[in-house]
Amino acid sequence: MKREPRPLGRAILSYMFLIGLMMFGLFPAIWMFITSIKPMNENFTIPPRITVQQPTLMNYHKVLFESGIPRAFLNSIVVTCSATLITLVIAILAGYGFSRFRFRGAKKLSSGLLYGQMMPGVVIIMPIYMTFSKIGIIDSYLGLIIANVALTIPMSVIMLTSFFKTVPRELEEAAKIDGTTTIGALFRIILPVSSPGLIAVSVYAFLHIWEEFLFALNLSNSDTVRTLPIGITHFSGEFVVDWGAMMGASVLVSVPVLIIFLLCSKYFVQGLSDGSVKG
């Protein structure tokens, strides 16, 4: 039975809608880049113009050589990579336990993870600050890493639990018959099969930690620890905002995220879709 061809008018409207939606989503990024290459006098023209009369890279020179952004970039790399790795290790072990073993309190713990994911950061920032202040880890990498791990663990465990449930138990049983332990079956059998889920969790944790602002603002006091979201705010003064430098810094901050997402988007979507089949 032949499919009836889609009416030309409907197809044109569909493409126009999709193009308009794409432009709506890309416009902030386009405007950010255009602002970053404008000289200061053009950034303050009224009304604002999307065209650039005299493109310049001075804003990027100011960001890279006359500000604390390079140090903030290093801080973000240290905090984000460390917290992502710790999140992944804990989520693997916890997700495997929830998906393969029955134990008392499992449902309550799962519900607790869900509530933890729903809890806004502004509610827990005060007790976290008071606790970290008493043990002396305010304004340190350790404090930021622990705080970010606490934010990413709930959703990461939920994602990996759902994904591990889709892996057939027969694979583990066959490995155990050959003499492999439970931990050995996890690392030799389950994890290689679950690579899309692991990549999905890693990308989720990385993006969430990279752009985290609230904890970085309250748990860091010096430039030796402050991350990029806080470093960008230094271009905003009491009476004037250096929009060109701020947008240049924003472009540089967006580049690692864009590269990682472009490289891992296929596996990220696959991991999310596969992990939603069960659980």
Side-chain angles (χ1 to χ4, degrees), residues 245-259:
M246 181 179 287
M247 293 300 102
S250 300
V251 170
L252 296 178
V253 171
S254 304
V255 169
V257 176
L258 181 62
I259 293 174

Side-chain angles (χ1 to χ4, degrees), residues 10-128:
R10 184 182 299 178
I12 293 175
L13 289 177
S14 299
Y15 281 111
M16 289 178 62
F17 174 76
L18 292 175
I19 292 173
L21 193 63
M22 182 180 67
M23 293 303 298
F24 180 79
L26 290 177
F27 181 77
I30 296 172
W31 186 264
M32 178 176 66
F33 175 73
I34 291 174
T35 304
S36 70
I37 60 174
K38 282 183 178 181
M40 182 174 292
N41 60 328
E42 291 189 37
N43 279 323
F44 288 95
T45 56
I46 298 176
R49 293 178 298 184
I50 197 171
T51 58
V52 184
Q53 295 181 349
Q54 297 178 340
T56 179
L57 296 177
M58 287 302 298
N59 293 319
Y60 290 97
H61 183 275
K62 183 184 300 184
V63 169
L64 293 174
F65 302 106
E66 301 177 13
S67 71
I69 291 297
R71 176 66 190 193
F73 188 90
L74 175 63
N75 295 337
S76 288
I77 290 292
V78 173
V79 172
T80 302
C81 292
S82 301
T84 300
L85 180 60
I86 295 173
T87 297
L88 189 61
V89 172
I90 296 176
I92 287 172
L93 298 177
Y96 183 72
F98 280 117
S99 65
R100 288 296 187 264
F101 301 103
R102 294 182 179 179
F103 54 91
R104 184 177 298 178
K107 291 185 178 180
K108 293 182 179 179
L109 288 174
S110 299
S111 300
L113 289 172
L114 184 59
Y115 294 148
Q117 177 62 29
M118 297 169 60
M119 188 73 68
V122 69
V123 175
I124 61 177
I125 183 60
M126 186 56 68
I128 286 179

